[in-house]
Amino acid sequence: QVQRSQEQAESKMLEVLKGLEADGGPGANFLRLCREVSECQSALKGGELAGDLGWLDRVKGSAQAAGSSSKAAVRPQVPPGLLRAAFELAVGEVHDLVTSDIGVHLLQRTA
């Protein structure tokens, strides 16, 4: 269950982002920190993929977000702004904070 307000979440994510930058980049620390501080549903379930959005589909995800009746999107529950931010990244890059209707996010593209 989410415990932080949006302001608290933004503050925490900025701390994490600054810590990653001080360590010379995300590396393995990104996954560890996500597991430690995330309050998203996947992180709360625990396990190896805690905090992981999984595979995203730019085309189907965008179509679903734009109101298409297609149910074929890999992750249709991902808000459009979050999907856009994910695909702006190069592999290995971390995005600045992204705020959506489901929370405050730090994204790292891994593939």
Side-chain angles (χ1 to χ4, degrees), residues 58-109:
R58 180 190 325 240
V59 176
K60 293 177 185 175
S62 295
Q64 181 73 18
S68 166
S69 61
S70 169
K71 301 286 184 194
V74 176
R75 291 293 302 249
Q77 69 272 29
V78 175
L82 200 55
L83 191 68
R84 270 191 308 277
F87 284 104
E88 287 176 357
L89 298 170
V91 173
E93 189 177 14
V94 174
H95 200 286
D96 201 4
L97 295 186
V98 179
T99 301
S100 75
D101 59 338
I102 61 170
V104 180
H105 318 274
L106 277 179
L107 302 176
Q108 179 187 29
R109 185 169 179 180

Side-chain angles (χ1 to χ4, degrees), residues 39-58:
E39 292 182 338
C40 74
Q41 291 303 309
S42 68
L44 296 175
K45 289 178 188 174
E48 185 176 317
L49 297 177
D52 192 330
L53 285 176
W55 290 98
L56 302 177
D57 186 310
R58 180 190 325 240

Side-chain angles (χ1 to χ4, degrees), residues 20 23-32 92 94 108:
L20 290 171
D23 288 344
N29 289 334
F30 188 84
L31 182 57
R32 180 184 55 78
V94 174
Q108 179 187 29

